[in-house]
Amino acid sequence: MVFDNKPISVIPDEDLTDLIGNQEENLWIEFKREHYEGYKNNREKYSREICKDVTAMANADSEVGYILIGVDADNNNIAQNFFDIPDAKNKAKSIYDTCLQHIKPRIAKLEVESRSLEWQNQEYNLIIIHIPFSENRPHGFDSNGTLNFVKRYGEVTKEFEMLEFIPELLARHPLPVMDDINVKLDRIEHQTTDILKAIGESE
């Protein structure tokens, strides 16, 4: 897995530069040439696009992912070049604040940081989003008053049915009613055993 779920601060520059010409987009890594500049005049679309990308990765079967802003990919989705992101630090903060405001439930330990590195005698400023595994999946995002759920399948993001997550949710968070039913069933089983034992002793 790319970067082995490392925090952004400890990812070596070599791991980033080695992406160029070698790494294809997949379930746990996505490349974006530019920041969400096309939506800067429409706050709703800006928030939606950011949260869609982040929650899709958070809900993916990979359970961990990275979004690299400032990496240009070719038609085969293989990283080819770096692209400098002006004012990367403030833009990273804006992305992080947007995620905190619109993603529900919030993604614990989500990281969004700017990162500078030198490549081919030129300095580039990138934005890296690290989405760790979350116990609170699935994550949705609010947009126009509705809660939306998406998931990353390979390199494609699609809406998904909540039915996909029901077994996982029940495994992590058993319904209280099921706990109550199980307690009552155990009690009935014990009472039945005691009755049968008493009948056997009376015969």
Side-chain angles (χ1 to χ4, degrees):
M1 182 181 294
V2 179
F3 306 145
D4 297 322
N5 199 26
K6 294 175 184 172
I8 296 170
S9 60
V10 301
I11 297 175
D13 285 355
E14 312 88 77
D15 285 6
L16 292 169
T17 55
D18 284 349
L19 297 173
I20 304 302
N22 299 309
Q23 182 62 53
E24 182 179 3
E25 282 190 327
N26 52 42
L27 197 61
W28 52 82
I29 189 165
E30 180 177 3
F31 303 130
K32 290 189 172 294
R33 184 176 186 268
E34 299 177 76
H35 177 255
Y36 298 84
E37 292 295 324
Y39 307 100
K40 63 182 179 181
N41 295 323
N42 187 321
R43 187 67 195 180
E44 183 65 33
K45 286 185 177 180
Y46 173 82
S47 299
R48 179 181 177 83
E49 289 304 309
I50 289 172
C51 295
K52 182 179 73 173
D53 290 341
V54 173
T55 56
M57 190 77 77
N59 292 331
D61 293 336
S62 66
E63 300 184 345
V64 61
Y66 295 85
I67 300 173
L68 276 66
I69 302 174
V71 177
D72 197 12
D74 63 14
N75 292 333
N76 294 316
N77 298 318
I78 297 174
Q80 290 299 309
N81 295 290
F82 291 114
F83 185 80
D84 187 61
I85 305 297
D87 198 22
K89 185 175 181 179
N90 285 329
K91 288 176 179 175
K93 184 180 184 304
S94 176
I95 291 172
Y96 183 74
D97 291 344
T98 297
C99 291
L100 286 184
Q101 182 178 354
H102 294 280
I103 294 177
K104 302 176 191 262
R106 291 180 177 176
I107 303 171
K109 299 182 181 179
L110 174 71
E111 292 185 287
V112 186
E113 296 182 11
S114 59
R115 178 71 178 267
S116 297
L117 78 158
E118 187 172 316
W119 185 66
Q120 294 186 346
N121 299 318
Q122 185 172 341
E123 186 173 344
Y124 294 88
N125 294 289
L126 313 177
I127 298 172
I128 303 177
I129 305 173
H130 173 213
I131 303 106
F133 172 73
S134 173
E135 291 284 355
N136 295 318
R137 302 189 327 156
H139 294 275
F141 62 93
D142 60 70
S143 178
N144 290 319
T146 62
L147 194 59
N148 303 269
F149 291 89
V150 292
K151 182 177 178 179
R152 189 171 176 85
Y153 300 86
E155 60 194 47
V156 179
T157 294
K158 296 181 180 179
E159 292 185 9
F160 70 87
E161 298 291 336
M162 287 296 292
L163 287 173
E164 289 187 47
F165 277 95
I166 287 178
E168 184 176 344
L169 286 171
L170 288 177
R172 294 201 308 268
H173 310 289
L175 296 176
V177 67
M178 292 303 298
D179 289 341
D180 188 46
I181 289 172
N182 288 330
V183 168
K184 289 179 179 178
L185 287 174
D186 286 342
R187 187 179 303 137
I188 291 170
E189 182 179 358
H190 289 144
Q191 290 173 345
T192 303
T193 301
D194 291 342
I195 291 170
L196 292 174
K197 183 179 179 181
I199 292 173
E201 290 175 350
S202 66
E203 291 179 348

